[in-house]
Amino acid sequence: MLLYHNYLTILLLLIATSVMATKSEFNYEIGKRVLDLLRDYTDAPSKVLEFLSNYREKNAFPHGLEPQDRDIFFQLGDTLLTANPRLLLFYALENGAFAGNQRSPTFAHYREPGESGYRLDGPVHMEKLQKHLDSCIDENGRQVPCLLGPGESYIECIDNCTSLQRCPDEDSQQDCSAVERAEERSLCESNTKWCISYATRTIPLSDDSPKRGYIPFTFYCIDINGLPTQTPGENAELGADGLGNCYHDDGITPVNRQVSGGYAYCGGEGIICNNTFLGGFTSGNYDPRYRPWYIATKQKQVPNWSEPYEFYTHNIGITFSRPIYSIDEEGKTIFTGVLASDYSLDGIASFLTNNYDGSDTIVTIVEEAEPNYVIASSTGI
């Protein structure tokens, strides 16, 4: 018996062969329950992101979700996650900025705007990019240089990421000048979105390539209000059972970071602060603009679900994405970035094993597209 939902197929297999009519009815009820679960999973992200989009359009984020609004988003996201603990909420912008938070485990993420792949022997490196090179840490919290390794990717701007091109979606590609009626031409122009251009590059595997740095993606301990913390006894990672301390990846070294610099989070225009990485317990290389969910949203320019894929954290899930825009001085609609929500499929797997392990029916969820990967099974495999 097969049932479909988005990119997933629910496969119900009978083990027992007796009383087939009863078993068939039982299979239908199981399929209905699992479909209801999947609907719950897929309804929540679209509603939450619609709320966040409307919140931004009403100028409730003072800087339109630029880095200065990071902590406002952290707090609002943490509040929304109270009712939707399975979600991971975040936003990513065309300038490379990223911020988000999640529950189970409880932490936040942040990436400063800018392009990785800067050469250490470049003419502007020491003046403008040293702060990024010096903001990475190892598992013990020791400062290490943020250096790209062979095979790693980075974004390279085309025309300094300032030249606008029509976005690749069908509406934006339409030639509005060919539309004769003024009303229809105006509608066509209003549906046109504009995008900046950049390319994804990869560090060669050879050892003689120039050294290049990256802008780190940092994970943060947060308190009960959703804000980064390194104060002993305030880390909410332990969940409802109590608060704890913030440690680096070694699980031993307490986090105590006060990195001073003119980061965008501080407010820009040369403003220096020392709390950009407060509570940051680990860091790595990640740029949202070359992730599949971001690329697909930029291409489609509509809210969309991804196919199941491997997250940055290596578990399997799906992402719901929603494009966001700004209006420039000429009245053009500029694609600014993406609001998104990750859904790990671990929760579906737990539901199946808790409810159907050992029963006469095996419930398996597989990817609809080939090669039809198994997403979850009541057997736990």
Side-chain angles (χ1 to χ4, degrees), residues 244-371:
N245 299 332
C246 182
Y247 296 103
H248 289 288
D249 273 354
D250 62 4
I252 300 173
T253 307
V255 175
N256 183 22
R257 301 188 68 189
Q258 295 183 358
V259 183
S260 181
Y263 296 99
Y265 168 75
C266 305
E269 299 181 358
I271 299 175
I272 295 176
C273 64
N274 65 356
N275 60 343
T276 303
F277 298 99
L278 183 148
F281 64 88
T282 191
S283 61
N285 175 35
Y286 176 91
D287 190 318
R289 293 170 292 179
Y290 56 67
R291 296 296 290 174
W293 52 269
Y294 194 97
I295 294 172
T297 305
K298 187 171 183 177
Q299 290 175 340
K300 298 175 181 179
Q301 295 296 317
V302 292
N304 66 94
W305 280 99
S306 73
E307 297 183 12
Y309 69 102
E310 183 179 6
F311 287 167
Y312 177 72
T313 52
H314 302 301
N315 51 339
I316 300 297
I318 51 179
T319 298
F320 182 74
S321 303
R322 184 185 182 98
I324 54 178
Y325 304 97
S326 59
I327 306 298
D328 71 1
E329 296 177 353
E330 298 178 2
K332 291 181 178 178
T333 301
I334 311 300
F335 171 68
T336 305
V338 176
L339 286 168
S341 175
D342 280 351
Y343 238 141
S344 170
L345 298 179
D346 293 345
I348 298 178
S350 298
F351 173 83
L352 296 184
T353 54
N354 291 338
N355 286 275
Y356 304 112
D357 186 24
S359 72
D360 290 339
T361 300
I362 297 175
V363 184
T364 300
I365 299 178
V366 300
E367 188 176 2
E368 182 177 359
E370 293 184 356

Side-chain angles (χ1 to χ4, degrees), residues 11-12 45 50 57 93 141 155 157-158 162 199 203 215 247 257 284 308 315 318 321 334 366:
L11 176 64
L12 306 178
E50 182 178 10
E57 290 175 2
L93 303 182
I155 293 295
C157 281
I158 297 175
T162 57
I203 300 295
I215 297 174
Y247 296 103
R257 301 188 68 189
N315 51 339
I318 51 179
S321 303
I334 311 300
V366 300

Side-chain angles (χ1 to χ4, degrees), residues 10 33 54 61 138 157 166 198 204 232 267 281 293 318 352 357:
I10 303 173
R33 286 185 64 191
N54 292 337
F61 294 107
D138 65 12
C157 281
R166 291 176 182 268
Y198 45 77
F281 64 88
W293 52 269
I318 51 179
L352 296 184
D357 186 24

